[in-house]
Amino acid sequence: MPPPPHHGCSPATYPGRPITAARLGVRLGALGIDARAARRSALIQLAAELPAAVLADTLDIKIATASDWVKTAGGDWANYAATTARTPR
């Protein structure tokens, strides 16, 4: 008997249970999509646009990790607090 048709965009092995990150990675890889590269690109883009403290809080990661991402992205937030304090609201 064939499996029932799925009604979601990425069916799991067991109906009603989400697909795991590992399984999704395998499926995307089979299509020629490197999910890790896409994730890194998205993180670098965020790190270029946000200060490390905001990035760490938003993604729930350690501040040291966020600082490393900001440095990798070439972000320079050294004057962020001073600039924000001087900006009229």
Side-chain angles (χ1 to χ4, degrees), residues 27-72:
R27 287 185 176 186
L28 290 173
L31 297 172
I33 300 169
D34 184 1
R36 291 171 299 176
R39 179 181 181 273
R40 280 190 300 270
S41 294
L43 282 170
I44 288 173
Q45 181 66 35
L46 276 174
E49 296 179 10
L50 298 173
V54 174
L55 185 66
D57 189 46
T58 302
L59 300 179
D60 195 27
I61 59 177
K62 293 182 180 181
I63 190 73
T65 303
S67 295
D68 290 342
W69 278 106
V70 170
K71 287 177 191 170
T72 299

